Amino acid sequence: MSGPHARAAHADPLDGDVEEALALANGGRSGPRPDDAPAPTAPASPQTQTSAPARPDRDRQPAPPGARPAPDTSHAAPGAHAHGSGEGTSWSAARRTAAQAGRSAAEHRARAPQAPHPRTTEARAAEPRVQPAMPASAVDALDAIAPVPVDENQLPLPGLPFTDHTPPPRPAADKQAEGVEDPSEPARIPSGAARVPLGEALGLVLAAPLTALTDLPSFDTSAMDGWVVAGPGPWDVRAKGILAGHEPPPELSDGEAAAIATGARIPPDTTAVIRSEHGHLDDQGRLHPLRDVTHGQDIRPRGQECRSGELLLPTGAVVTPAVLGLAAAAGYDELTVVPRPRVEVLVLGDELLTSGRPRDGLIRDALGPMLPHWLRALGVEVTAVRRLGDDAKALLKAVRKSTADLIVTTGGTASGPVDHVHPTLRAVDAELLVNGVAVRPGHPMLLARLKEGRHLVGLPGNPLAAVSGLLTLAEPLLRELSGRAGHTEPYSAPLHTSVHGHPGDTRLVPVVVRQDEGSGHDWAVPLRYNGPAMLRGIAAADALAVIPPGGAKEGREVEILDLPWSWGSR
């Protein structure tokens, strides 16, 4: 045996899957060939039927001005079947199936015995940044199964890069000083949740209520630079002023004042704070007000914002930069959150180059550089990116040994001589939930349950088709698994120009969303370069427009799928 299949036939001393690897390299297991039996299909169930309750699918800012709720896209063209005319699950049903898979995975995680999540403080020190390579005697110069390091700080999207900084644990005495239970204590962590440092919580979802660990502010404090005064004026000003963060100031007597900085502790029995611009010092150094002084002015009393133990945010709230600030002010070093789903990317194809210009029938790998960062924009942790070539044995080993919540493969989902995804799924007894979707581009995408709580999404190899699969199957699953499904708001916009449709399939077309200066309404402007192998259109796009079978004319309202980097840009 020679060529790309030869590596799959070599024995590996670790697993001895020689016979199985040979069968996979030839398109199936030993025994009956896969084309002798019907392809596995998802079982008929409420979760996979179009009658399943629809759930929102995107986390986004409120709909743009003039936008309307997304139209119902659950219909499929009657009688559509066969490749090229609507074969596979309808687009909306596929998204609902993926969302249900994510809910099931989240429920499984909540039921599973509690173990430290790799992003918790306790486990992070022992966790490799990228999973180590799996030994393989059949690895050639492509280094097929070695992980490609992923630099998580390359992505210039707010909150997505991780850091390795772990703040020191909060002293137990501090936690007990306020007489309030600390919700970040291990005994309080809900099943399926994790505690992460504040610096790693941005974009995650709270898995426990955020309650104040202290009064805010925790002492009476000055709201302004100026003078703190006691009793009626004019006031004799003390020589020593009061600064923020210093020892408690001595009590003032009636007729006394002291210079004070913003944020400094207010002395007991103080009347008010006079702003710097509202007071005047005479030649004897006595302070005179330039306007009426009211009791308590420019003083932030203890507990003005919240009292110790008060609910600040409920379970399910998304951690924004403001939430991080509030949590820090309330005394938190860590937050209890729904962990980031862990995703591994397997890039398939012997024809892919990792550097340089395309040459000699080889093309550049566009998905390896793109998918990890796109997935992080969806709020996940990408544990590894592995380039496996068209190696059936390497793919089987990678799927078997992965511990990720979701494996994303690129290419190999059809039925060609080197398309090994379906045979691999049969080899690991996976349950095929979605086998092809009536959508263009991207119809040969698939979703499989590897075991309870773990899934595989197979994306087509063409770049825009892969993006279609990512948004159709991976995004709904990951949003459910990360607890973000409730923070969604589908919306629609009218098309600026007509878009031709496929007779039986939904089309996803790159668009920019622009506001009409006259009406103030948003329009979805379709872009050229929307073929399955093209990235030029989506590189300039804000979103994808969902075009129903048969197409859509100018002015028709269509559903809009925002791209992660366009959230909040309008």
Side-chain angles (χ1 to χ4, degrees):
M1 180 180 292
S2 62
H5 301 301
R7 297 193 301 273
H10 292 183
D12 189 320
L14 291 181
D15 53 32
D17 291 332
V18 180
E19 181 179 355
E20 190 163 39
L22 279 168
L24 283 170
N26 289 293
R29 286 176 178 258
S30 303
R33 294 177 59 82
D35 49 10
D36 295 333
T41 57
S45 68
Q47 291 81 11
T48 59
Q49 302 303 313
T50 56
S51 59
R55 291 180 64 92
D57 296 300
R58 289 176 311 287
D59 182 58
R60 51 167 279 104
Q61 300 294 322
R68 303 181 185 177
D72 180 12
T73 57
S74 61
H75 61 280
H81 66 89
H83 274 301
S85 57
E87 182 182 89
T89 308
S90 74
W91 179 77
S92 56
R95 283 173 65 83
R96 288 196 294 271
T97 300
Q100 176 59 37
R103 288 194 292 276
S104 298
E107 292 166 1
H108 171 75
R109 184 163 61 184
R111 295 192 306 267
Q114 194 71 8
H117 190 272
R119 300 309 306 174
T120 61
T121 301
E122 294 83 355
R124 192 169 41 259
E127 179 202 19
R129 297 302 295 166
V130 179
Q131 289 184 350
M134 297 177 289
S137 61
V139 174
D140 63 2
L142 291 175
D143 194 21
I145 204 161
V148 176
V150 179
D151 182 0
E152 294 170 321
N153 292 311
Q154 291 175 353
L155 184 63
L157 291 176
L160 296 175
F162 299 114
T163 68
D164 283 323
H165 172 66
T166 303
R170 188 179 178 199
D174 288 351
K175 298 176 183 178
Q176 297 168 0
E178 306 296 335
V180 179
E181 255 190 287
D182 184 355
S184 64
E185 286 297 327
R188 298 283 304 275
I189 300 179
S191 182
R195 286 183 299 134
V196 300
L198 292 184
E200 296 185 10
L202 186 64
L204 299 182
V205 173
L206 293 178
L210 188 73
T211 57
L213 302 181
T214 181
D215 295 344
L216 285 183
S218 56
F219 49 82
D220 294 346
T221 181
S222 176
M224 293 288 172
D225 293 332
W227 298 270
V228 58
V229 300
W235 301 271
D236 293 321
V237 180
R238 288 182 177 176
K240 185 176 181 181
I242 305 171
L243 300 177
H246 287 237
E247 67 277 359
E251 184 175 353
L252 294 175
S253 301
D254 283 352
E256 278 192 311
I260 193 167
T262 301
R265 187 188 296 252
I266 294 291
D269 299 325
T270 293
T271 301
V273 168
I274 298 176
R275 302 184 186 190
S276 299
E277 62 270 24
H278 296 164
H280 168 69
L281 294 174
D282 63 21
D283 293 341
Q284 287 75 41
R286 289 169 60 83
L287 174 65
H288 298 264
L290 299 180
R291 58 179 60 186
D292 291 341
V293 177
T294 59
H295 189 82
Q297 74 178 29
D298 288 326
I299 293 176
R300 294 186 62 216
R302 175 172 182 160
Q304 181 185 51
E305 186 170 359
C306 65
R307 289 292 184 181
S308 179
E310 185 176 340
L311 176 66
L312 301 177
L313 289 170
T315 299
V318 175
V319 179
T320 64
V323 171
L324 291 177
L326 175 63
Y332 285 87
D333 298 320
E334 298 176 319
L335 290 177
T336 302
V337 294
V338 178
R340 296 182 190 273
R342 304 175 75 241
V343 180
E344 186 169 345
V345 178
L346 307 180
V347 180
L348 312 181
D350 284 344
E351 74 280 12
L352 301 178
L353 294 170
T354 59
S355 62
R357 299 179 183 182
R359 63 184 184 275
D360 303 326
L362 303 177
I363 61 174
R364 278 296 299 271
D365 170 27
L367 296 179
M370 178 177 71
L371 287 180
H373 298 309
W374 197 313
L375 287 162
R376 285 195 195 91
L378 297 177
V380 310
E381 178 187 356
V382 178
T383 59
V385 177
R386 305 182 189 280
R387 293 186 173 92
L388 307 184
D390 289 319
D391 189 331
K393 184 179 179 182
L395 176 59
L396 175 62
K397 182 182 291 187
V399 171
R400 280 184 168 167
K401 293 182 178 290
S402 174
T403 59
D405 299 303
L406 176 66
I407 298 173
V408 175
T409 63
T410 69
T413 57
S415 54
V418 291
D419 289 334
H420 301 309
V421 174
H422 279 94
T424 298
L425 293 176
R426 290 194 289 271
V428 298
D429 296 322
E431 178 186 1
L432 201 55
L433 303 178
V434 175
N435 184 18
V437 177
V439 65
R440 298 298 169 128
H443 64 93
M445 66 182 75
L446 61 85
L447 168 64
R449 180 180 290 116
L450 301 176
K451 59 177 65 174
E452 192 172 9
R454 297 184 56 241
H455 295 81
L456 181 145
V457 167
L459 304 178
N462 278 323
L464 187 56
V467 169
S468 174
L470 189 70
L471 295 179
T472 300
L473 297 178
E475 183 186 16
L477 185 153
L478 292 171
R479 290 196 181 281
E480 293 283 351
L481 186 54
S482 62
R484 300 175 68 92
H487 304 274
T488 58
E489 186 182 348
Y491 79 102
S492 69
L495 287 171
H496 187 266
T497 57
S498 298
V499 177
H500 294 294
H502 186 277
D505 292 353
T506 299
R507 283 190 68 198
L508 301 182
V509 176
V511 297
V512 292
V513 181
R514 295 292 181 264
Q515 191 174 87
D516 178 73
E517 294 182 0
S519 67
H521 290 285
D522 280 356
W523 289 85
V525 183
L527 298 175
R528 299 173 57 194
Y529 307 109
N530 52 33
M534 297 180 179
L535 286 174
R536 184 173 174 181
I538 200 166
D542 298 320
L544 292 175
V546 182
I547 307 300
K553 294 184 178 181
E554 176 184 344
R556 175 168 175 175
E557 296 276 341
V558 294
E559 184 175 357
I560 299 298
L561 299 178
D562 269 340
L563 303 179
W565 48 87
S566 68
W567 295 342
S569 62
R570 296 184 296 280

